[in-house]
Amino acid sequence: MLFNIYNKQKKIFLKVLPLVLFFILPLVACPLWGQVVQKKQLTEADYHLWGELYLDKIAPNEKWVSFKMNYASGQDTLFVRNTTGTITYHFPLADQSVFTKDNLFICQIKEDLHTLNLQTGKKDIIPQVSEYSYSFSNNLLLLFKISSQNKSTLILKSPLGKTQREIADVTKFSLSPDGRQLIYNLFDNGKNSVLLTDLKNPAISKLLLTGGQQNYNNFTWQKEGKAVAFYAKSDSRSIESLLFYNLENDKLFELNPDKEPGLPVGSSIVDHSMNNIVIADDLQKVFFYLKTTLKPEISQTDSKVEIWNTNDKWIYPQEQVFGNFEQRAKVFLWQPMLKKSTPITTNELPAIMLSGNKQYAVLSNPKAYEPQFDFEGNRDFYAMNLNTYEKSIFLSGQSGFYLDLVPSPGGRYIAYFKKKNWWVYDLELKTHTDLTSKIGVSFAGKVHALKSDSAFGNPGWSDGDSEILLYDDFDIWAIKADGSSAKRLTQGRELGIKYRIAKKSNISLGRFIYDGQILDNYDLTKQMILQAEGADGKEGYYSWNKSTGEKPIFYDDSYMDQINYSSKKQRFFCMEQKFNMPPRIISKESSSAIKPIFQSNQQHYNYYWGRSELIHFQNSKKQNLKGVLYYPANFNPQKKYPMIVNIYETQSNDLHKYSNPTLYNEPGYNPALFTSQGYFLFLPDIVHENGNVGPSSTDCVVAGTEKVLELGLVDSQKIALMGHSFGGYETVFIANHTPLFATAIASGAITDLNSMFYSVGWNTMKPEMWRFATEEWRLDGKTPLANREDFDRNSPLESIDKLQIPLLMWSGKEDTQVDWHQSIEYYLALRRLGKKSIMLLYPKEGHSLTNPINQKDLTTRVLQWFAYYLKDDKTTEWINNGMQ
């Protein structure tokens, strides 16, 4: 009995321990704080104490900040802390948080809405809230409640005041983007109605339509809240009509395909997962999807044979997933005032972007130059005037990569990157202007992993589309759309600092309308926040304005991200971390000193930990490279340590990243575990040479490792090599070509370039040949048929007979990123050669492991393998069975 009581108490203690460490301890006066703590060795029993920190929201008055600690155990907690003191509130398992206009804090825990008055500390709970919204402009809460009797009610109330209105039988509701209008579907007495409420006067609703059997939903607002469109759906969930309401002229329009003479007979409106409905800024145009043909049903007695023709534009699986343009829904333009509907995309031109003001459509066919063997092939682009429907080609043979052709926010221009320079096409004047070729600075370079040079980027435009903003390697440029002037806004090149426009942590990146990216306008007469990255390993954020240029907000030998601030921009918040400092939230106001707000994982300081150092080295071609060296915990300079070298491509930006110790790792790799168990860990940067990716990887990795050996801290006989995915390819190749390493672990590896070239990437549904053109292997269109020596020179399988060290491989048996049969090929070749090796295959796993049981198993085996070969711990039975 006593034993059971003890176990229950122990379980309760372990559950609340994270809260004790991260909530209670920092708030109480303790004589031990500030004293030297006797550090101890990190063990597996301690790993559960660590959690992940996320910056959440900033109060309008900038005096409160919310953040979240997430744990592997699921004991996640949302905190609210005062930025000028230490007052802290916590909400276990909460999400969907908001600070109101009057600085009340609200969050949701399951179906309970929690409110906190930050002035008084009073907490309230509103039960049975399944969904809520908050109108900042009117300081109103919209609470959607469903009772135990399945009765739904929408409640409108001020956060600190009384309920202003209760609306029964609401099934769907939507708040306009500006927070001023509410639209909702009401189901009463077997009939649906749609009503609109101006939240300045929430007691009154305007009836838009009533009496329908359809259910009205998918409310989609024009970006400024001036109009709204929605579907009328039948009981079978099919869309019967599209409705559009213009708030400015108080008119409602309906489009019913069955009654619209201009639409094909039997056509139907379809609900797409993205961009279902788009409303133009002029409130005259509504874009929607219409399916005009149905795919014929296949009888159960019909054969399921797949017909693969070599003269098809795309191979069969790619066509089934991304093609079949004849069967796919088309984008139509509805002009309610003109009572007109017009198809915009067609079978011949199925891809679409819209200009920023949605007065033009940019159309293309991704199959135009197929079959070709890049990931995104070139295509021709057409501009369609959506008022006249005139269409003409304006760009031929242009890259289809989404970052290489982007509409301007104002709508007049299309910016595109071609032949290493930026151009703009003026949609009104129908002219092309080369913007960058005469500036004397390159706007292309190394940007994306495992890819040749590409555009540094186009983050947006100045207000009114006056100037396009472009990145070079270091700086931000503002260039007139007609090319008449080009201004460099920052001075990063002189300082060795790369500047980029920073996004707030709660702003989503990569916004799209159809196939086109949405860019922002920036007022260059006002302050901009920049992200900064120095060549010396420093990182942080700067403030920029036209008169003073860039000034640091946070900039140090740290990794900083998740910047956030209120509209005042007087106090800034961000996350800071180092390899030997867990992530913390810091703040800064004008010229004052940086103030720590919250330190996560305080228990870190009770344990021995490593540190990180930037290593500079040169390869054989005298190229200057960097690498990150992590030191073992409780480092003793009088001792020589074993070392693990982890490889991929550029990793020096991991210099200051903190690593939580855990056995649950998708690729079995964890820097905190390696360093805590007495290993150096080295991450060298690799520069891949076109056509010689394997040899150049070997050159860089060997040069970097030898540079570390010069420090005299590493046992040269106890160095291991490891890599995953492309790093797995590099690992097996390098292991064949140098005696420097005692052992290697390669996972998800490409081992045979010849068979890889002739395989299908089942995650992309494309032939893997694209990886051999301008991407990973950069063989510039060469094939094994005509250039076998180039493939053999870079293929690990062709040099496998040179392997002299023990090799561990692993793969998921459902890996669609890298075919797991690549690992099988290598295993069988090793077996045929009589070489000792072990391969781990994980059923029902992909390129990285997602099952926690398998994650723990893999990490444990990785640690055992390194202990076996780098520490001479020969006690592991599964290794003995396979390698002795």
Side-chain angles (χ1 to χ4, degrees):
M1 182 67 177
L2 289 175
F3 179 77
N4 289 335
I5 293 174
Y6 167 78
N7 274 341
K8 289 180 180 179
Q9 290 175 336
K10 181 180 178 182
K11 289 179 180 178
I12 293 172
F13 173 75
L14 290 177
K15 285 184 177 181
V16 302
L17 182 58
L19 290 182
V20 174
L21 287 171
F22 304 119
F23 172 57
I24 299 174
L25 289 183
L27 305 183
V28 297
C30 177
L32 293 179
W33 289 108
Q35 295 185 14
V36 176
V37 177
Q38 180 59 47
K39 294 185 182 292
K40 54 187 177 180
Q41 183 67 35
L42 184 67
T43 68
E44 181 181 340
D46 306 311
Y47 299 166
H48 72 281
L49 301 176
W50 268 258
E52 300 281 350
L53 174 64
Y54 300 94
L55 183 56
D56 185 44
K57 303 285 185 359
I58 308 298
N61 64 4
E62 300 180 336
K63 293 182 179 179
W64 296 88
V65 58
S66 62
F67 53 90
K68 203 167 192 177
M69 287 295 299
N70 291 351
Y71 296 91
S73 64
Q75 299 298 313
D76 303 341
T77 302
L78 182 64
F79 293 86
V80 182
R81 173 166 286 197
N82 185 264
T83 60
T84 58
T86 57
I87 300 173
T88 307
Y89 302 94
H90 68 285
F91 300 87
L93 304 177
D95 57 11
Q96 302 297 320
S97 64
V98 67
F99 284 101
T100 68
K101 195 172 187 176
D102 48 10
N103 300 290
L104 184 78
F105 182 74
I106 299 172
C107 61
Q108 193 157 8
I109 303 177
K110 295 183 179 179
E111 292 194 350
D112 289 339
L113 197 70
H114 292 244
T115 63
L116 169 65
N117 188 325
L118 295 169
Q119 292 183 337
T120 65
K122 181 183 178 183
K123 290 184 178 182
D124 288 308
I125 298 176
I126 305 173
Q128 296 181 324
V129 177
S130 60
E131 183 184 353
Y132 86 96
S133 291
Y134 172 68
S135 166
F136 192 89
S137 56
N138 290 285
N139 196 26
L140 270 180
L141 276 176
L142 283 63
L143 311 178
F144 187 61
K145 303 185 68 173
I146 299 178
S147 69
S148 57
Q149 291 78 33
N150 205 31
K151 294 289 186 179
S152 60
T153 305
L154 183 63
I155 299 174
L156 282 59
K157 70 182 295 292
S158 57
L160 288 173
K162 297 180 180 179
T163 297
Q164 298 192 21
R165 185 180 179 191
E166 291 190 7
I167 311 172
D169 302 317
V170 172
T171 61
K172 296 287 183 181
F173 74 97
S174 178
L175 188 64
S176 64
D178 59 5
R180 300 183 186 280
Q181 304 288 334
L182 164 69
I183 191 169
Y184 58 94
N185 183 89
L186 191 71
F187 183 72
D188 185 33
N189 293 324
K191 294 182 179 180
N192 288 281
S193 303
V194 177
L195 297 98
L196 184 75
T197 301
D198 186 333
L199 294 179
K200 285 184 179 179
N201 188 0
I204 300 175
S205 291
K206 178 182 182 63
L207 182 66
L208 300 186
L209 68 152
T210 187
Q213 296 297 317
Q214 306 100 327
N215 180 30
Y216 302 102
N217 55 26
N218 291 80
F219 298 111
T220 302
W221 291 91
Q222 185 262 354
K223 66 180 182 181
E224 296 172 341
K226 296 179 179 179
V228 62
F230 50 96
Y231 294 139
K233 291 186 177 181
S234 66
D235 291 339
S236 64
R237 309 300 296 170
S238 63
I239 299 172
E240 295 191 354
S241 63
L242 170 65
L243 296 110
F244 172 74
Y245 177 70
N246 187 330
L247 278 71
E248 290 190 339
N249 59 20
D250 187 26
K251 289 187 177 180
L252 179 70
F253 303 87
E254 183 174 13
L255 173 69
N256 187 325
D258 293 336
K259 300 177 182 179
E260 189 73 17
L263 296 181
V265 176
S267 60
S268 59
I269 299 171
V270 295
D271 189 354
H272 246 258
S273 58
M274 293 179 61
N275 305 128
N276 291 316
I277 307 169
V278 177
I279 303 173
D281 298 348
D282 63 4
L283 309 184
Q284 304 297 308
K285 301 177 181 68
V286 181
F287 301 86
F288 65 99
Y289 279 105
L290 190 78
K291 195 174 182 68
T292 58
T293 58
L294 297 177
K295 192 170 184 178
E297 294 290 333
I298 298 177
S299 168
Q300 294 295 321
T301 60
D302 290 343
S303 170
K304 304 299 189 299
V305 63
E306 299 178 0
I307 302 175
W308 295 49
N309 295 320
T310 55
N311 61 354
D312 284 340
K313 291 281 191 178
W314 283 347
I315 65 171
Y316 183 87
Q318 185 178 358
E319 177 68 18
Q320 300 309 303
V321 175
F322 302 108
N324 284 332
F325 299 147
E326 298 80 4
Q327 302 292 334
R328 294 190 179 277
K330 306 299 188 296
V331 174
F332 271 65
L333 169 59
W334 176 33
Q335 296 172 285
M337 299 292 290
L338 300 178
K339 298 181 180 180
K340 183 178 181 181
S341 298
T342 308
I344 305 301
T345 62
T346 62
N347 296 338
E348 294 73 27
L349 295 172
I352 178 173
M353 303 180 189
L354 293 177
S355 62
N357 57 7
K358 303 172 186 62
Q359 299 302 303
Y360 287 86
V362 177
L363 305 171
S364 63
N365 188 334
K367 292 185 186 180
Y369 290 85
E370 297 288 348
Q372 55 76 49
F373 307 105
D374 286 326
F375 186 76
E376 288 286 351
N378 290 348
R379 60 181 81 170
D380 301 332
F381 287 91
Y382 295 76
M384 174 186 282
N385 185 318
L386 296 177
N387 293 306
T388 65
Y389 299 105
E390 294 178 355
K391 178 180 66 182
S392 61
I393 188 170
F394 72 94
L395 200 54
S396 300
Q398 168 65 18
S399 163
F401 184 45
Y402 76 98
L403 293 177
D404 286 348
L405 190 145
V406 190
S408 67
R412 179 166 178 174
Y413 304 103
I414 303 294
Y416 61 95
F417 188 76
K418 191 169 188 176
K419 295 181 179 179
K420 297 187 177 182
N421 281 290
W422 280 101
W423 298 66
V424 294
Y425 177 70
D426 188 320
L427 288 161
E428 295 180 9
L429 300 179
K430 298 183 179 181
T431 57
H432 295 264
T433 303
D434 175 0
L435 298 181
T436 59
S437 65
K438 297 180 181 179
I439 292 178
V441 174
S442 176
F443 288 84
K446 180 63 178 174
V447 178
H448 307 288
L450 306 181
K451 185 177 174 64
S452 298
D453 289 356
S454 54
F456 285 120
N458 163 215
W461 289 66
S462 65
D463 279 351
D465 282 1
S466 175
E467 297 161 299
I468 186 174
L469 302 182
L470 298 174
Y471 293 145
D472 72 12
D473 196 6
F474 291 96
D475 292 305
I476 306 170
W477 290 74
I479 303 175
K480 287 285 187 180
D482 61 3
S484 60
S485 72
K487 297 179 295 184
R488 185 162 62 112
L489 303 183
T490 57
Q491 305 299 312
R493 186 170 296 276
E494 292 82 350
L495 301 172
I497 298 176
K498 179 182 293 185
Y499 291 112
R500 299 295 185 253
I501 296 175
K503 294 287 189 179
K504 291 175 68 174
S505 62
N506 55 349
I507 300 296
S508 60
L509 301 177
R511 297 173 295 136
F512 290 83
I513 293 181
Y514 302 121
D515 302 311
Q517 189 179 27
I518 303 173
L519 297 183
D520 293 320
N521 279 124
Y522 295 91
D523 186 344
L524 299 185
T525 65
K526 295 182 179 180
Q527 180 187 35
M528 284 198 303
I529 308 302
L530 310 180
Q531 190 168 21
E533 180 183 330
D536 56 0
K538 291 184 177 180
E539 296 185 33
Y541 293 94
Y542 275 66
S543 172
W544 178 92
N545 66 54
K546 187 177 181 180
S547 58
T548 63
E550 58 268 26
K551 300 292 182 184
I553 304 172
F554 309 104
Y555 193 69
D556 206 344
D557 278 312
S558 307
Y559 177 75
M560 299 190 190
D561 66 345
Q562 298 187 43
I563 191 165
N564 211 330
Y565 44 88
S566 76
S567 58
K568 295 181 179 180
K569 288 187 181 179
Q570 294 179 356
R571 184 187 291 269
F572 295 90
F573 301 80
C574 82
M575 292 258 292
E576 179 190 25
Q577 61 186 286
K578 300 184 181 185
F579 181 72
N580 57 353
M581 183 187 77
R584 65 175 185 166
I585 298 172
I586 57 176
S587 72
K588 192 173 187 298
E589 186 174 7
S590 61
S591 60
S592 62
I594 289 174
K595 179 180 179 180
I597 299 297
F598 176 78
Q599 175 65 69
S600 73
N601 299 305
Q602 192 80 352
Q603 77 285 350
H604 158 95
Y605 297 100
N606 297 329
Y607 297 89
Y608 293 117
W609 213 265
R611 63 180 178 87
S612 62
E613 178 182 325
L614 197 61
I615 301 294
H616 296 270
F617 65 97
Q618 289 185 328
N619 60 10
S620 65
K621 297 185 181 300
K622 304 302 180 182
Q623 293 173 298
N624 293 321
L625 299 172
K626 295 182 289 186
V628 176
L629 183 64
Y630 298 131
Y631 279 66
N634 197 22
F635 171 68
N636 180 357
Q638 305 303 317
K639 176 183 174 184
K640 286 200 172 183
Y641 290 83
M643 182 168 72
I644 301 165
V645 180
N646 183 76
I647 57 175
Y648 191 72
E649 191 185 29
T650 300
Q651 299 182 95
S652 54
N653 53 3
D654 287 345
L655 174 65
H656 297 302
K657 290 183 180 178
Y658 186 79
S659 172
N660 281 359
T662 177
L663 291 173
Y664 301 99
N665 305 288
E666 292 185 6
Y669 167 81
N670 186 288
L673 296 193
F674 295 157
T675 55
S676 70
Q677 296 196 14
Y679 299 102
F680 272 97
L681 176 62
F682 182 48
L683 282 59
D685 284 351
I686 297 172
V687 175
H688 293 128
E689 180 184 340
N690 290 349
N692 282 297
V693 169
S696 58
S697 298
T698 305
D699 183 25
C700 295
V701 172
V702 170
T705 304
E706 289 178 342
K707 183 67 174 182
V708 174
L709 285 173
E710 291 177 8
L711 301 176
L713 305 174
V714 172
D715 185 342
S716 62
Q717 303 302 308
K718 299 294 183 182
I719 307 176
L721 184 65
M722 74 179 304
H724 180 66
S725 192
F726 194 80
Y729 155 77
E730 294 168 318
T731 295
V732 287
F733 185 93
I734 294 170
N736 294 345
H737 289 85
T738 175
L740 188 57
F741 301 100
T743 187
I745 299 178
S747 50
I750 303 97
T751 65
D752 182 3
L753 299 197
N754 295 290
S755 65
M756 180 77 172
F757 186 85
Y758 295 115
S759 63
V760 173
W762 295 107
N763 61 329
T764 63
M765 299 298 173
K766 297 182 179 183
E768 292 282 49
M769 295 175 185
W770 66 269
R771 298 184 185 275
F772 296 85
T774 59
E775 310 251 350
E776 284 95 321
W777 286 279
R778 306 170 195 192
L779 287 167
D780 194 25
K782 293 179 178 179
T783 72
L785 292 173
N787 312 96
R788 183 61 183 255
E789 66 281 0
D790 293 293
F791 283 77
D792 289 351
R793 184 176 62 253
N794 289 281
S795 182
L797 189 63
E798 297 305 315
S799 56
I800 193 172
D801 58 311
K802 299 177 183 178
L803 180 68
Q804 299 299 323
I805 61 174
L807 174 68
L808 175 66
M809 296 188 297
W810 71 261
S811 177
K813 289 189 70 175
E814 294 182 8
D815 189 348
T816 59
Q817 177 73 13
V818 174
D819 188 347
W820 64 283
H821 292 95
Q822 288 281 312
S823 295
I824 294 290
E825 284 189 48
Y826 215 66
Y827 163 80
L828 291 174
L830 289 169
R831 179 181 174 88
R832 186 69 177 85
L833 291 169
K835 294 180 180 290
K836 298 292 185 181
S837 176
I838 294 178
M839 178 175 64
L840 309 173
L841 293 179
Y842 288 91
K844 299 181 180 179
E845 291 284 11
H847 197 52
S848 294
L849 306 187
T850 57
N851 185 328
I853 295 174
N854 292 333
Q855 291 175 347
K856 183 177 181 180
D857 178 84
L858 173 61
T859 305
T860 301
R861 291 181 189 275
V862 166
L863 293 172
Q864 290 171 340
W865 185 270
F866 286 144
Y868 192 96
Y869 287 104
L870 302 184
K871 294 183 176 181
D872 296 319
D873 179 358
K874 306 299 183 183
T875 61
T876 303
E877 185 176 356
W878 67 273
I879 303 178
N880 283 328
N881 291 339
M883 303 302 292
Q884 288 185 359

